[in-house]
Amino acid sequence: MIKLYNTMSRKKEIFKPIKKGRVGLYSCGPTVYSYAHIGHFRSYIFVDTLKRILRYNRFKVKHVMNITDVGHLTSDADTGEDKIEKEARIEKKTVWQIAKFYTKDFFNSMKKLNVKKPDIICKATDHIQDMIDFIKKIEKNGYTYRTSDGIYFDTSKMKDYGKLARLKIEGLEKGKRVSFGEKKNVTDFALWKFSPKDKKRQMEWDSPWGVGFPGWHIECSVMSMKYLGKVFDIHTGGVDHIPVHHTNEIAQAKAVIGKDFVRYWLHNEFVMVNGEKMSKSKRNFFNMNDIEKKGFDPLALRYLFLTAHYRSKINFTWKSLEAAQNTLNKLRQHMLLLQEPDNKKSNKNKIKKYKKQFQDFINDDLNTPEAISLIWKMIRDEKEINNKDKYKLILEFDKVFGLNLDKIKPTKIKIPTGIKKLIKEREKARKNKNWKKADEIRNKLKKKGYILEDTPNGPVIKKSSKV
Ligand code: AMP
Ligand code: ZN
């Protein structure tokens, strides 16, 4: 049984998929006009963890994510320049070059963070006709009107508009001091924008309403429903998407199918810097290049995110990343040590207990902080569980954490001749039952940084490491 916090009900709910054993999952993808930053990484590590947890529970997950390569304007109020067109102007490149470059960079970063690729990655610009067809249906059902700059959604016609965000529409209307132009209601939003008369856009398409481009919100309603069906299981995004983007996605879909199109809305909280959301516009962001330049392993960032619940804010500091890196290094060293057998018996009951605890944590709305501490509790458990079982369990848990712990293998070390000679000497002493001499040589080796262990197959030598 998995419980997920549904933003729509503001409650943890038992997850019941529409089709038994299958999950349709849609995530709002990046707007590809700049390098992704640590805030974005959190959002996609959260989705990746959710996916891994669903798969750990044997669900077949179909994950769809969009790439916003058109229509996201610099202001959420449908004004300002298209972010990609603006960047193309600044960088003196085509919009297509901009989108291609930053999409590639995004997936490079995702790979470094061990975030699995979605099953379907869909670009907005590849679905213009689908969007036009969808807007036609919204229009046919009577939810649209025309202004001089586009086709707008009339939110006053949607009875429960804003219910996801618990928007108080009246308050919004009254509180709005600046005029909202030709829009009938402050919350109305563009479905189709006309190309400006005074400027040539690089991306524009013909439509029944005039040459232009789609609004930002329409792409997610259209592509999610195209690939996952009219109603699907889970939709994710950052909390900033609740009041506008997701609220509008719901309105558009409902205008066509007459009901809610998503069963569970999941939102991750922000990465903050000094009390403010990390964002491009605030210029308080760091990206993959910054992380690597400072010598950090991207997986240390993944570890850091796992230690906080996805619904709580994280204040990012380099110190916190350093602490996460140190802990991850320690965990990796333990994984090496755990590959050495000890003489303890396997305790089936204890293994079962640890597994159950782990499942309870991850299935309780992705409680990764508790699940991570369970690993440490198990490592410290010297009595009831042996090395082999600990190692196996941690690898199983890492299917959810995605820290690549299975890649931690002992490396073959080159042993200097002097050390080899000492080992031979010790073997001779042991054959002659000269235990005192054998111990002396072992201590000598230890001082030189080598640990010698006697196993049934003969002595094993290792470089000593501090844990
Ligand atoms: P965008 O490209 O701005 O649409 O953002 C892509 C995803 O990252 C969205 O789901 C955002 O909500 C999320 N996001 C953006 N900034 C942050 C942040 N500082 N912390 C967490 N998530 C963020
Ligand atoms: Zn979206």
Side-chain angles (χ1 to χ4, degrees):
M1 185 179 82
I2 305 181
K3 278 194 202 153
L4 298 174
Y5 183 88
N6 190 348
T7 307
M8 188 58 96
S9 64
R10 303 288 194 274
K11 274 192 202 117
K12 274 190 207 171
E13 294 177 18
I14 294 172
F15 175 66
K16 284 198 203 102
I18 297 165
K19 275 193 212 132
K20 196 166 176 267
R22 291 176 183 272
V23 182
L25 168 66
Y26 183 86
S27 305
C28 286
T31 307
V32 281
Y33 72 110
S34 71
Y35 295 109
H37 58 63
I38 288 177
H40 299 126
F41 297 160
R42 184 181 197 193
S43 206
Y44 299 107
I45 287 174
F46 149 64
V47 178
D48 191 55
T49 310
L50 169 66
K51 230 161 79 173
R52 285 167 181 269
I53 289 176
L54 290 166
R55 287 187 176 144
Y56 187 90
N57 283 278
R58 300 183 197 287
F59 282 108
K60 277 210 159 85
V61 183
K62 182 173 175 188
H63 183 210
V64 180
M65 187 186 80
N66 66 308
I67 297 288
T68 302
D69 53 358
V70 68
H72 197 166
L73 305 188
T74 47
S75 146
D76 267 354
D78 291 319
T79 55
E81 212 174 334
D82 187 315
K83 289 185 181 188
I84 304 219
E85 295 262 344
K86 183 177 171 189
E87 192 59 27
R89 187 167 48 71
I90 294 167
E91 291 191 31
K92 297 194 171 46
K93 293 202 173 109
T94 68
V95 281
W96 307 101
Q97 283 169 325
I98 294 291
K100 194 169 167 195
F101 177 83
Y102 289 112
T103 304
K104 193 165 168 225
D105 183 77
F106 173 80
F107 284 112
N108 280 342
S109 297
M110 290 301 117
K111 201 164 170 212
K112 289 177 184 171
L113 294 163
N114 203 19
V115 168
K116 290 187 176 144
K117 267 198 169 176
D119 304 287
I120 294 174
I121 298 163
C122 37
K123 292 196 294 184
T125 50
D126 285 340
H127 295 78
I128 301 295
Q129 191 54 50
D130 293 310
M131 292 189 235
I132 290 173
D133 293 343
F134 203 90
I135 298 169
K136 277 203 238 162
K137 286 181 194 157
I138 301 175
E139 185 179 44
K140 191 169 147 248
N141 292 345
Y143 288 92
T144 63
Y145 63 92
R146 190 184 181 105
T147 71
S148 60
D149 74 2
I151 302 298
Y152 279 78
F153 190 103
D154 186 344
T155 54
S156 67
K157 298 224 166 119
M158 182 61 66
K159 214 174 68 224
D160 51 3
Y161 177 82
K163 75 172 170 178
L164 179 74
R166 312 274 200 270
L167 291 184
K168 302 259 181 309
I169 308 293
E170 244 176 64
L172 280 178
E173 298 279 352
K174 279 189 197 130
K176 197 85 190 165
R177 274 181 221 108
V178 288
S179 113
F180 39 90
E182 294 172 61
K183 284 204 301 192
K184 291 187 189 167
N185 310 286
V186 65
T187 46
D188 292 355
F189 57 92
L191 295 164
W192 187 264
K193 290 271 283 186
F194 303 136
S195 291
K197 292 193 177 70
D198 52 340
K199 247 195 272 165
K200 175 91 183 116
R201 277 180 60 93
Q202 291 190 45
M203 281 179 179
E204 58 182 14
W205 295 267
D206 210 358
S207 83
W209 312 282
V211 174
F213 59 99
W216 170 38
H217 317 297
I218 195 73
E219 64 174 279
C220 286
S221 303
V222 169
M223 293 193 280
S224 59
M225 292 165 90
K226 171 167 178 156
Y227 293 109
L228 295 172
K230 280 184 185 147
V231 180
F232 60 90
D233 298 297
I234 306 175
H235 193 313
T236 70
V239 287
D240 51 335
H241 284 346
I242 300 171
V244 181
H245 184 52
H246 290 169
T247 290
N248 293 346
E249 275 188 49
I250 293 170
Q252 293 165 152
K254 203 165 182 178
V256 172
I257 63 166
K259 57 182 174 185
D260 282 340
F261 77 127
V262 171
R263 303 272 293 267
Y264 301 84
W265 284 95
L266 268 62
H267 293 98
N268 66 278
E269 253 298 350
F270 290 146
V271 172
M272 314 286 287
V273 183
N274 298 325
E276 280 193 301
K277 177 193 171 196
M278 183 182 284
S279 69
K280 181 148 196 252
S281 57
K282 294 213 177 74
R283 293 174 202 274
N284 60 356
F285 62 92
F286 305 108
N287 43 44
M288 189 51 81
N289 194 29
D290 299 310
I291 294 171
E292 290 185 318
K293 229 172 39 200
K294 285 182 188 276
F296 289 109
D297 176 344
L299 290 180
L301 185 70
R302 186 169 181 120
Y303 186 92
L304 176 66
F305 289 155
L306 291 169
T307 60
H309 191 262
Y310 76 93
R311 281 192 292 115
S312 38
K313 289 190 175 72
I314 292 184
N315 192 46
F316 177 79
T317 59
W318 290 107
K319 263 221 149 77
S320 62
L321 185 56
E322 197 180 321
Q325 179 76 71
N326 290 339
T327 319
L328 178 61
N329 291 349
K330 272 192 187 170
L331 179 56
R332 286 170 172 165
Q333 289 194 18
H334 277 291
M335 289 309 276
L336 279 180
L337 296 177
L338 291 177
Q339 288 174 66
E340 293 163 19
D342 51 11
N343 294 323
K344 286 181 207 128
K345 268 198 183 152
S346 187
N347 180 340
K348 296 261 161 4
N349 277 342
K350 197 72 198 178
I351 295 173
K352 241 178 155 175
K353 226 169 154 179
Y354 273 122
K355 261 195 197 180
K356 167 87 172 60
Q357 273 181 311
F358 177 75
Q359 277 162 15
D360 286 349
F361 287 140
I362 58 167
N363 289 352
D364 180 15
D365 191 33
L366 287 72
N367 194 344
T368 55
E370 289 287 0
I372 281 273
S373 6
L374 186 69
I375 282 196
W376 290 104
K377 190 177 158 199
M378 204 163 73
I379 286 172
R380 284 192 297 267
D381 183 346
E382 295 289 344
K383 280 194 194 136
E384 294 183 293
I385 180 159
N386 68 22
N387 280 0
K388 196 174 165 199
D389 293 336
K390 279 185 195 176
Y391 182 75
K392 263 171 66 184
L393 274 179
I394 296 176
L395 283 195
E396 185 180 321
F397 298 169
D398 197 40
K399 284 185 189 143
V400 166
F401 298 133
L403 295 168
N404 277 343
L405 295 177
D406 57 335
K407 301 226 165 93
I408 310 297
K409 296 269 177 236
T411 43
K412 288 223 163 69
I413 50 169
K414 220 174 161 227
I415 304 165
T417 354
I419 301 290
K420 275 189 196 159
K421 240 169 128 181
L422 279 172
I423 298 171
K424 266 198 185 150
E425 237 176 80
R426 184 174 172 273
E427 276 307 280
K428 217 164 134 191
R430 269 166 55 84
K431 257 193 198 143
N432 297 334
K433 301 206 178 356
N434 186 349
W435 309 120
K436 194 167 164 249
K437 191 168 177 196
D439 281 349
E440 270 168 22
I441 297 175
R442 186 204 285 247
N443 284 340
K444 218 173 185 177
L445 284 167
K446 199 174 169 189
K447 276 194 191 130
K448 288 178 187 286
Y450 291 89
I451 292 171
L452 198 109
E453 276 165 22
D454 296 310
T455 75
N457 304 323
V460 171
I461 187 93
K462 287 184 188 121
K463 268 220 172 263
S464 60
S465 54
K466 281 189 194 130
V467 175

